[in-house]
Amino acid sequence: MKFIRPNNLARAVGALALPLAVAAAWAQPTQPGRAPVTESEIRYQAGGSPLEGIDMHQDINPKAPPMTKAEFDKARQIYFERCAGCHGVLRKGATGKPLTPDITLGKGTEIMKVFIKYGSPAGMPNWGTSGELNDAEVDLMARYVQQTPPTPPEWGLPQMKGSWKVYIAPEKRPKKKENNYNIENIFATTLRDTGQVALIDGDTKKIINIVKTGYAVHISRTSGSGRYVYTIGRDGRLNLIDLWMAKPDNVAEIKIGLEARSVETSRAKGWEDRYAIAGAYWPPQYVIMKGDTLEPLKIVATRGMTVGDQEYHPEPRVASIVGSHTKPEFVVNVKETGKVLMVDYRDINNLRTTEIEAAKFLHDGGWDVTKRYFLVAANQSNKIAVVDSKEGKLVKLIDVDKIPHPGRGANFLDPKFGPVWATGHLGSEKIAVIGTDPLRHKANAWKVVRMIDGQGGGNLFIKTHPKSKNLWVDTPLNPDSKIAQSIAVFDIRNLDKKPAVLPIAEWAGLGEGAKRVVQPEYNKAGDEVWFAVWSAKNQESALVVVDDKTRKLKAVIKTPEIITPTGHFNVYNTTHDIY
C-alpha cells in the first residue's frame, strides 16, 4: 500500500519556523474511525464537484485574512474542483480532515500554506510541489479555508418541478416493444466527461444510441420490469430511458439536487416501475418520484446525528440505494451519519422508516445471493455492515482491510466455506471473502473466511456470475500504470492460487493515455465479461470484451463516440441484481 507523502515537509516547516510538534499534530487524523488516506483514495475522491459553478454568498469573517470577492470566488471554484470530495461541501470533513475556521484560524495562513503546498503523511496531497497549484494559489487557498464556509443553496420541490420534463407521456409510449433488440442483453455504458450514456447491443456489439444525460453518470439502474433505464449524473440530473422505443431514448428527466450519486426503483412484486428514488450529496436528502414520469412526490432530508458519538452532522450524503426484491422497501445508505434507512414505500404520505445504526462513512454494497442480507462498506471505518432486510436490523459489523470498495460485491460458492460475498479495497491489495450462509454454514457466517492478495490497491469493482468459475478484480486507481491497465482474474475453485493478470488495455490497441481498466460486467448469458478502458476526453478509449471461459480477447468496441467510458450495466443482471 502506498501513501502520498510530501518530499520536503520537514524542510518547509523549518524554513517557516513552525514548531515541529504543531506540524506533527496537524498531520494526524482527527476523526475517530477514519483510516489514513491512500493515493488511490485521493484519486477517487478528488474529482471536481458540480457545485464549483453554483453562486454562493461570501460571509465576511473579521478574524480571517482579507479576501476580495474575486479572490473568494476563484478560491471557492478551486475548492470545489479539487477539495470538496475529501473535505465536504461545508468543510466538516469526510475522507479528509475538517477545515472549518475554528480549526484553520488557529493554525494561521503560514501553517496552512505549508500543508497545502507540501501535503502531509495523513494523506493530504502536495498540491504545490506537484505543480497542481502555484504559490499564489496556495496562498489564496490558505486564506480561503480560514473564511466561513459558503453554503450552497437548497434544492426543494419548486426547483425540482422547474427542472422536470416529460418528453413522451406514458400514454403515448409504445404499448409493446417496437424494436428487435435483445433488451435483456443491452449494456448502458457511461461516457463520463461528455454527459452521455451509450446503449450498446450486447449481441452485435454495436451502439444503439448515444443518449444525453447528466454529467459523469455515476450509476445506471433498470426498472423492476427491465423496460426503463434510470441514470443519475453527478450534477443531480436524472434521466429516464425507454428501451421499448424503436430507438431507445430519453422520455423524462429531472434535477433532484445540485450533486448526486444514487438512483434506484421499486422492485418488489406488484410494485415494479411504480416508484423511483434518488439520493443527493447536496442538499443531503432523497426524493421519491413516480417511476414512469419522474414527477417528484416526497423529499426527505438526511441531516441528523451520527452513530456512536451522536453529534449533529449538517451534510450527510446519500451514498447508495438498493431496492428490496421481497418487500416494498428501499435501502438508503447515509454516508457521514453511518445509518442505513429501510424506507417502506407502500404509503409515501405516511412514510415508515426503520433507522439502523451501522458505521460511519457508508458507501456502496450489494445483496447476498438470497437477497435477504445487504452488505455495505463503511469505507473509512474499514468495515462491512450486514443488514437483515427481513428483520430490519443490523446483523454484524465485520472488520476488513483499508477502505473497502465493493461496488455491488461478488457472490459465489467457496469450495471450502460455502456461499460467500467478496469485496476489494481502495487502500490495499486485499480481497475480503465473507461467509453469508447462517443456516447451512453457520460457523462461517458474517466473518472474513479468506483474505486474498490481488494486484494492489485502487480496486473499484469485483465481479463474478453464477455460471462462471472466475472472479474478476480491477485496479484502475492504482498509481502503477501497469496494474491500472490490467485485470486480475482468480479461479474460484482454487482461490489459494495466484491470479492470472490480463493486459486488457494492451488488447484494446489504443494510443497514448491513462487507459485505466474499470468495472468488469457480464452479459446476460454469463459467458462474456466487458471492461471499460478509460482515458482522457481528448484521448482514445475503448470497451474490451473477454471470453469468460477461455479468458481470451473476444472483441474490442472502439469508435470516436466511446469517450471516457467508466461504468457499464447489463440490463438483465442489473434488473435482477446478479453479481
Side-chain angles (χ1 to χ4, degrees):
M1 179 172 64
K2 180 180 178 182
F3 288 87
I4 294 183
R5 297 180 182 271
N7 295 325
N8 301 307
L9 177 60
R11 184 167 55 199
V13 171
L16 290 170
L18 298 176
L20 289 176
V22 173
W26 179 245
Q28 298 305 311
T30 58
Q31 291 183 341
R34 189 181 64 221
V37 185
T38 65
E39 182 170 347
S40 297
E41 174 73 346
I42 289 166
R43 288 179 179 222
Y44 180 66
Q45 296 284 2
S49 165
L51 293 171
E52 64 195 50
I54 302 298
D55 235 2
M56 299 182 205
H57 174 67
Q58 179 183 358
D59 182 6
I60 303 297
N61 185 339
K63 295 181 180 180
M67 296 188 79
T68 67
K69 185 178 186 306
E71 287 180 322
F72 184 88
D73 288 344
K74 181 179 179 181
R76 180 177 59 79
Q77 181 181 356
I78 292 173
Y79 180 82
F80 283 104
E81 285 177 346
R82 301 183 185 277
C83 315
C86 286
H87 296 285
V89 169
L90 301 178
R91 306 211 304 262
K92 291 284 187 179
T95 303
K97 294 164 63 65
L99 293 174
T100 45
D102 59 311
I103 297 171
T104 55
L105 279 170
K107 305 296 180 184
T109 301
E110 292 306 314
I111 289 179
M112 295 311 304
K113 283 168 63 175
V114 169
F115 287 98
I116 292 170
K117 183 170 183 175
Y118 296 97
S120 84
M124 173 72 172
N126 52 327
W127 292 112
T129 57
S130 69
E132 297 285 339
L133 299 178
N134 59 37
D135 284 346
E137 290 168 332
V138 167
D139 176 76
L140 185 72
M141 297 310 296
R143 289 183 286 133
Y144 175 78
V145 295
Q146 296 175 72
Q147 312 292 324
T148 302
T151 302
E154 299 296 314
W155 192 264
L157 191 61
Q159 290 81 11
M160 289 187 197
K161 285 197 169 181
S163 71
W164 174 45
K165 300 172 185 175
V166 179
Y167 298 114
I168 303 176
E171 63 271 16
K172 294 185 179 180
R173 295 174 197 164
K175 301 298 184 288
K176 60 181 181 180
K177 191 163 73 82
E178 292 184 343
N179 59 61
N180 294 321
Y181 299 117
N182 177 7
I183 284 180
E184 291 185 330
N185 201 34
I186 287 176
F187 287 76
T189 297
T190 298
L191 306 179
R192 185 187 185 279
D193 293 344
T194 62
Q196 297 173 320
V197 162
L199 300 177
I200 302 175
D201 185 336
D203 293 348
T204 66
K205 314 295 187 293
K206 293 181 179 179
I207 294 174
I208 296 169
N209 195 16
I210 302 288
V211 180
K212 184 64 180 173
T213 61
Y215 168 71
V217 164
H218 191 252
I219 195 170
S220 295
R221 295 292 283 168
T222 54
S223 64
S225 69
R227 173 175 180 171
Y228 293 109
V229 173
Y230 300 77
T231 70
I232 188 76
R234 290 183 62 174
D235 56 2
R237 181 174 166 185
L238 172 60
N239 287 81
L240 176 61
I241 300 168
D242 187 356
L243 298 178
W244 278 17
M245 295 168 62
K247 186 177 183 180
D249 209 337
N250 281 317
V251 292
E253 72 171 59
I254 191 172
K255 190 173 174 67
I256 61 96
L258 299 175
E259 185 167 2
R261 295 294 189 281
S262 54
V263 64
E264 180 59 298
T265 69
S266 50
R267 299 189 178 279
K269 187 175 181 180
W271 294 88
E272 297 92 342
D273 303 12
R274 181 83 63 89
Y275 293 122
I277 180 173
Y281 267 29
W282 188 270
Q285 63 192 27
Y286 64 85
V287 56
I288 299 174
M289 300 155 280
K290 286 186 178 179
D292 59 354
T293 66
L294 304 183
E295 179 183 358
L297 302 173
K298 183 82 170 182
I299 304 170
V300 181
T302 54
R303 294 178 172 101
M305 314 309 286
T306 60
V307 300
D309 49 27
Q310 298 191 53
E311 293 182 348
Y312 177 74
H313 200 295
E315 191 192 336
R317 300 173 284 184
V318 178
S320 62
I321 306 172
V322 297
S324 172
H325 292 260
T326 56
K327 58 179 172 178
E329 232 171 33
F330 293 122
V331 184
V332 179
N333 301 284
V334 186
K335 196 176 187 80
E336 281 74 18
T337 58
K339 293 178 180 179
V340 180
L341 308 179
M342 312 294 287
V343 180
D344 185 325
Y345 52 74
R346 282 176 289 191
D347 182 357
I348 64 171
N349 292 319
N350 300 282
L351 205 62
R352 291 190 295 173
T353 302
T354 300
E355 181 182 283
I356 300 172
E357 292 193 356
K360 289 180 184 178
F361 316 117
L362 296 177
H363 191 63
D364 209 352
W367 297 103
D368 80 308
V369 71
T370 70
K371 297 183 175 62
R372 172 174 174 172
Y373 299 98
F374 177 68
L375 297 94
V376 59
N379 58 12
Q380 289 297 327
S381 296
N382 300 330
K383 297 180 186 296
I384 297 293
V386 183
V387 172
D388 183 343
S389 68
K390 182 178 179 179
E391 299 294 333
K393 64 181 182 181
L394 182 73
V395 176
K396 194 171 181 182
L397 290 175
I398 304 169
D399 291 322
V400 287
D401 214 68
K402 305 290 185 182
I403 317 172
H405 192 286
R408 289 293 188 247
N411 288 302
F412 58 92
L413 191 64
D414 187 288
K416 183 176 179 181
F417 299 106
V420 295
W421 178 92
T423 179
H425 297 80
L426 268 167
S428 85
E429 76 285 359
K430 300 296 184 182
I431 298 157
V433 180
I434 296 168
T436 60
D437 182 5
L439 297 179
R440 292 173 297 277
H441 298 80
K442 188 175 181 179
N444 304 327
W446 316 131
K447 63 180 64 172
V448 175
V449 295
R450 293 182 189 269
M451 195 67 87
I452 305 168
D453 287 342
Q455 286 199 88
N459 166 251
L460 288 182
F461 297 98
I462 182 170
K463 190 64 67 80
T464 189
H465 188 276
K467 297 179 181 178
S468 175
K469 300 300 181 185
N470 290 323
L471 178 66
W472 303 84
V473 184
D474 70 15
T475 40
L477 299 185
N478 194 285
D480 185 329
S481 61
K482 185 176 180 180
I483 294 175
Q485 293 177 7
S486 58
I487 198 84
V489 53
F490 292 84
D491 184 342
I492 289 171
R493 296 163 297 185
N494 185 4
L495 290 167
D496 294 325
K497 182 181 177 182
K498 287 186 177 181
V501 177
L502 306 185
I504 301 296
E506 181 182 319
W507 288 353
L510 303 174
E512 293 183 355
K515 299 188 285 288
R516 290 170 287 186
V517 175
V518 63
Q519 193 163 347
E521 174 73 340
Y522 277 86
N523 63 345
K524 180 191 175 184
D527 58 11
E528 291 178 354
V529 192
W530 291 42
F531 301 92
V533 184
W534 170 24
S535 283
K537 186 175 181 178
N538 60 348
Q539 294 168 325
E540 195 176 29
S541 294
L543 303 177
V544 170
V545 182
V546 176
D547 185 291
D548 182 69
K549 186 176 181 179
T550 66
R551 302 179 179 176
K552 302 294 184 183
L553 176 64
K554 191 168 184 179
V556 176
I557 303 171
K558 185 167 54 176
T559 76
E561 297 169 295
I562 301 295
I563 300 170
T564 60
T566 51
H568 39 247
F569 305 88
N570 175 267
V571 167
Y572 182 84
N573 294 333
T574 302
T575 302
H576 299 281
D577 279 317
I578 295 172
Y579 32 77

